[in-house]
Amino acid sequence: MEITVLFFGLFAEAAGADKITLKGINDTDMLIQHLMDSYPSLWDKKYRIALNTRVVNGKTSLSEGDVVALLPPFAGG
Amino acid sequence: MEITVLFFGLFAEAAGADKITLKGINDTDMLIQHLMDSYPSLWDKKYRIALNTRVVNGKTSLSEGDVVALLPPFAGG
Amino acid sequence: MTEKKKPNVFVEGAINPQFIADSIAKHSSKKGIGAHDIFLGQVRNDVLGDKEVKAIEYSTYQPMAEDILLEIREAAFREYNLVCMHIYHSIGRVDAGEICLFVFVSSKHRKDAFEACRSIVEKIKADVPIWGKEIFEDETSAWKENR
Amino acid sequence: MTEKKKPNVFVEGAINPQFIADSIAKHSSKKGIGAHDIFLGQVRNDVLGDKEVKAIEYSTYQPMAEDILLEIREAAFREYNLVCMHIYHSIGRVDAGEICLFVFVSSKHRKDAFEACRSIVEKIKADVPIWGKEIFEDETSAWKENR
C-alpha cells in the first residue's frame, strides 16, 4: 500500500521536499511517528493534517493512493 | 430681531423657497407654529431642526441673526 | 494636523471606480497598513408602485454636513486604531448602478478597519443632512428616507 | 449556476488597484445592488527583531484551498442575502504596501454586505491553506502565522 505525503511551507523546508511516497503506513498516527523520526526538526511545530484535501482530526486509517498533506499554520490574507 | 430659515428637500419644495427671513420669532416653537400656518402641507411631515448647524430638541430661544434649518429625514449613502 | 481640518467630502455626480482605484493605489506608501475596509453605496433601481428608480438627485446642507462629518471622523480616530480614513459622497444626480458613497478605512489590523467602517457608514446614514430625490423613468420623483 | 463552479481565486503577485476598479465598474449593470463591502489585505512592513519585512512570498495547497473557498462561498450565499461575491488572493511575491487579498461582497442592503464580508475574511484567514514567508531586507525569511 502506497500513500503520497505533501509538505508545505516550513515543513517543505524542513523535509527538503514537497512530496514523498511511503509504503506500509496504515494510519495517520503511524505516519506522524514516521515523519518525526525522519525529520526531527518537525517535533515542535504546529500542524494540521489533510487527507485527500479534507482536514482530519485524531487517528485516521489510510488506504492505497491516499494523499496526506502536512499543513503548517495558515497565513492567508 | 431677524432670523433666517432654511428649507431643504421636500420642505423646500413645499415652501417654494430655499430660504426666508422672519422677524418677531422668539423661539423654535413659535417658528414651527408660524411655518405650519404659512405652509399647511408641512403639517404631516417628519423633521428635525438645526440652529446654526446644530440639531436642537424642544423649545429653544432664538437670537438676532440665527439661522434655523428645517431638515426632512436624511437619505445619505 | 491633516485630521483636524474639514476634509472635502462632496463630489459632483457619481463616484468613479477610477477615483477609487487611485485612492487605493495612494496607500501603497503607507506600509504599516495591513487592512482596508471599503464601503460603497450604489444607487438601486428600486420599484415604487410600478415605476422604476432611474437616478437619485442628492442635496445637502453643506456647513452642517461638514461639521457632522468632522465629528464622525474624529470619533472614529478616538475609538479605533486607524491609520487613515476617507469619506466621499455624491451631490447632484447619480444614475442607478452608479456609486454615491465611498468610505475608505485603513488600519494595521482588520478588526479596527471593519468596525470603524461599519460605524462610520451607520453614522453617515443617521446623522448627516443629505437628501435624495428618487427620479423615475417618467421624470416624476419621490423623496427617499433612510431606514 | 456560476455560483457552483470553482471560481478562480489565485492571482500571481500583487493585486492591482486597476483590477479592483474594473471589478467595481462591472457591477454598475447590477442595478439591484445597494451596498458593496470590499476588504483588502495589504502586506505590512512589520519589524521582527531589527529587521523589516520587505515582501511576503505566498504559497498554497491549491486543490484543498479551492474546495474550502467554494464552501466559504456557498455558506455566504446560504447565510446572507447577497447579489454576488468575489475573492482574490495573491500567490508568489507581494511587496510591503501592495495588496494580497481582495474580498468583494455586494448586496441589496448594507447589513448583508458588511456581515458576509467580515465572516468570509475570518474564514479565509482561519481555514484556507495559504502560507506566507516574510522576506526581510537582507533576504532572510520567517514563516508568518495568522492570529
Side-chain angles (χ1 to χ4, degrees), chain B residues 6 8-11 13 46 48 50 52-55 67-77, chain C residues 41 58 60-61 63-64 67 71 89 100-101 125-133 143-146:
Chain B
L6 305 178
F8 292 96
L10 62 88
F11 291 114
E13 281 188 348
K46 283 186 285 182
R48 277 182 270 185
N52 303 322
T53 80
R54 295 280 132 186
V55 168
V67 177
V68 182
L70 218 61
L71 313 172
F74 301 159
Chain C
Y58 287 103
T60 185
Y61 177 19
M64 177 175 166
D67 285 347
E71 287 175 15
H89 198 293
C100 57
L101 171 62
K125 299 243 177 199
D127 299 333
V128 181
I130 297 173
W131 299 281
K133 193 182 192 173
W143 290 97
K144 197 171 171 270
E145 181 171 343
N146 278 344

Side-chain angles (χ1 to χ4, degrees), chain C residues 89-113:
Chain C
H89 198 293
S90 295
I91 289 300
R93 187 180 175 116
V94 181
D95 286 340
E98 292 186 314
I99 309 287
C100 57
L101 171 62
F102 171 26
V103 178
F104 188 178
V105 181
S106 308
S107 58
K108 186 170 182 187
H109 299 292
R110 65 191 179 280
K111 185 168 185 286
D112 290 294

Side-chain angles (χ1 to χ4, degrees), chain D residues 30-55:
Chain D
K30 297 192 176 181
K31 297 183 182 176
I33 293 173
H36 304 284
D37 196 25
I38 293 175
F39 179 85
L40 302 175
Q42 184 166 303
V43 172
R44 279 198 314 268
N45 65 343
D46 281 351
V47 175
L48 280 82
D50 57 352
K51 294 196 286 189
E52 188 178 316
V53 172
K54 196 175 155 188

Side-chain angles (χ1 to χ4, degrees), chain B residues 28-39:
Chain B
T28 52
D29 281 6
M30 198 173 159
L31 172 65
I32 291 300
Q33 188 58 52
H34 175 85
L35 294 174
M36 299 299 168
D37 292 348
S38 307
Y39 310 105

Side-chain angles (χ1 to χ4, degrees), chain D residues 79-102:
Chain D
E79 289 165 31
Y80 303 97
N81 189 4
L82 304 182
V83 177
C84 56
M85 63 161 286
H86 309 278
I87 300 173
Y88 300 96
H89 198 293
S90 295
I91 289 300
R93 188 180 174 115
V94 181
D95 286 339
E98 291 187 314
I99 309 287
C100 58
L101 172 62
F102 170 28

